[in-house]
Amino acid sequence: IRLKLRAELNIAAETHMILMVGSGFRTKGTDRAMKAFAALPDEIRGKGVLVIIGKDNFRPFRRLARRLGIEKQIIFFHGRDDIPRFLFSADLLLHPAYRENTGTVLIEAMAARLPVLASDVCGYADHVLRADAGRLVPSPFRQATLNQMLAEMLTSEERETWSANGGRYVSRN
């Protein structure tokens, strides 16, 4: 699944594919995610792509991508019915929401063995902690903290551990 989807999207196997899923881009923190991606060190950002999937108006976020100089490294998709393919193909789920009642995508990512980086305001964020399936950006939110955490997670040797932990946790609960 991973190889096929990445081939369809022209994303190399060694490229860091960061995934954001959710409608309501303002509430989901899409601006935060884009700023964090743009702030990655050159050697990491140069090997990365941010895939954003959801139902919303892309225009303001495309403008932000241009201002940040990352427009060629962002792929936008309107809502899709094949989200599991993306969860199995990505390297990290990024969900820095401003507010989120549940955040079902966090559990879906863990089931797909995808490490999670989310804000701690997501309703299901505690499952990420309990499972040790990634990291949470603490409140009050600071962009610099998210930026640093994203860079650390993409280069961490713990990614395989977070992946396995998330899968085990979901299968047991």
Side-chain angles (χ1 to χ4, degrees), residues 116-119 128-129 133-137 148-149 152-153 158 162:
V116 175
L117 175 56
S119 54
V128 175
L129 276 183
R135 298 185 62 199
L136 300 178
V137 182
Q148 179 182 350
M149 291 175 81
E152 289 172 357
M153 284 190 75
E158 287 185 83
W162 291 321

Side-chain angles (χ1 to χ4, degrees), residues 4 17 37 44 51 55 64 69 77 85 88 152 156 171:
K4 185 175 180 186
M17 182 176 158
F37 184 83
I44 300 172
V51 176
K55 294 177 185 171
L64 176 60
F77 289 106
R85 290 178 66 217
F88 286 119
E152 289 172 357
S156 176
S171 69

Side-chain angles (χ1 to χ4, degrees), residues 93-147:
L93 177 78
L94 182 56
H95 196 77
Y98 285 87
R99 62 186 178 279
E100 178 77 75
N101 289 338
T102 55
T104 306
V105 71
L106 304 182
I107 304 300
E108 293 169 342
M110 290 167 48
R113 302 175 56 96
L114 181 60
V116 175
L117 175 56
S119 54
D120 66 356
V121 300
C122 297
Y124 289 159
D126 61 318
H127 292 286
V128 175
L129 276 183
R130 278 191 242 147
D132 188 21
R135 298 185 62 199
L136 300 178
V137 182
S139 294
F141 177 84
R142 291 184 54 242
Q143 185 68 47
T145 301
L146 173 62
N147 299 354

Side-chain angles (χ1 to χ4, degrees), residues 16-21 33 49-53 75 77 83-96 105 109 114-115 117:
H16 296 295
M17 182 176 158
I18 303 161
L19 179 64
M20 262 201 86
V21 177
V49 63
L50 178 59
V51 176
I52 301 171
I53 305 172
I75 303 170
F77 289 106
I83 298 300
R85 290 178 66 217
F86 286 83
L87 293 169
F88 286 119
S89 301
D91 296 301
L92 179 80
L93 177 78
L94 182 56
H95 196 77
V105 71
L114 181 60
L117 175 56

Side-chain angles (χ1 to χ4, degrees), residues 33 48 90 117 144 161 169:
L117 175 56
T161 302
Y169 179 85

